[in-house]
Every structure is written in structure tokens, then in C-alpha cells.
Amino acid sequence: MSPPGNSKYKESGTARLLGAGTSGILELFTFHPVDTVAKRLMSNTERIHGPGQTTAQSLSKLNQVIFRDAAAKATISKYLSLFPGLGYAAGYKVAQRMYKFGGQPVARDFLEHHYGQSFTRAFGDRNGKAMLHATA
């Protein structure tokens, strides 16, 4: 969001874009492995724990389901196996965050400055602001 008009500090477009890109990267490295594990568990068709299996056998099966081919590899290889499709995901998530946090405030400020009264007249005071934000 833009700073108030009477502020002595001006918000930088570069700061917005760098902050937005950083948020996309951090979100990707935080949630991509969690999402991958969830999808692998949901797509698994075999039972992980069944009657007659020991806890060690169940944990071994869980390890196979989550890490697939990297189940027998070192910890770092296991972690890296949780990032399939990273190139596409990174491009999409970073671009999405850069628009949301970097470009959308600029578009919203432009629309508010040039068309704010038109939105208010057409949709009312409360709904006009909501429609303006949705349009941005």
C-alpha cells in the first residue's frame, strides 16, 4: 500500500519489486515441499501401515512414498527431491507476488487517482472502493 500523502518518505518502486520477489521466493521454499509431500501422500494407493507391520516397516514405507527415488539417499538429496517442477513454480510464484505486491499498488493508485470518483458514483462509497481494488 502506498504511504500517506503527507509523509516525508517516498516509497520506491524498486523496493516494492525486490520485496515482492523476495516474498515469492520465500513462499516457494517454505510451502513447495509441504505441498509436494501432501500430493504424494494423497496420490499413494498402497497402505503405509497395515496389520502385522512393525513401526519401522511403516516408517520405511512412508519414507518411500514421500521421497520416492531419493528415499535411500542423503538428507540433502531427500530435501531436494521435494522440489519437482521448481523452474515453473518459481517463475509463476515470483511473477504472481511481484504483480500482487509490486504492480497492483501502482495500478490501484492510478485507478484511484484518475477514476476513483467514477467508481464511487457507479457503485456507491463502500462498493466503489471494493470494485476499484478488484479491478486493479
Side-chain angles (χ1 to χ4, degrees):
M1 197 154 146
S2 297
N6 59 2
S7 174
K8 64 180 180 178
Y9 300 106
K10 184 166 176 4
E11 191 170 304
S12 162
T14 304
R16 276 185 178 176
L17 292 177
L18 284 175
T22 302
S23 77
I25 290 168
L26 289 175
E27 183 177 345
L28 186 70
F29 280 99
T30 303
F31 295 110
H32 194 79
V34 174
D35 191 44
T36 300
V37 169
K39 286 185 169 98
R40 287 180 180 177
L41 289 171
M42 286 188 286
S43 67
N44 179 44
T45 57
E46 299 175 21
R47 287 187 72 149
I48 293 174
H49 181 72
Q53 283 186 333
T54 65
T55 303
Q57 290 171 327
S58 296
L59 289 176
S60 175
K61 180 66 177 168
L62 182 63
N63 193 32
Q64 284 288 345
V65 169
I66 292 174
F67 299 112
R68 295 189 176 163
D69 296 337
K73 294 183 179 175
T75 304
I76 192 71
S77 296
K78 286 182 179 182
Y79 178 71
L80 292 176
S81 76
L82 298 177
F83 289 94
L86 184 62
Y88 172 77
Y92 173 77
K93 188 56 69 179
V94 171
Q96 183 186 42
R97 292 297 170 233
M98 287 186 78
Y99 174 71
K100 181 177 181 181
F101 298 122
Q104 195 172 23
V106 173
R108 186 181 58 242
D109 291 346
F110 174 82
L111 288 172
E112 205 167 281
H113 183 265
H114 293 285
Y115 301 102
Q117 293 299 322
S118 300
F119 275 91
T120 302
R121 280 194 305 272
F123 301 107
D125 190 36
R126 189 174 124 202
N127 291 334
K129 285 185 179 182
M131 290 299 290
L132 185 129
H133 286 253
T135 302

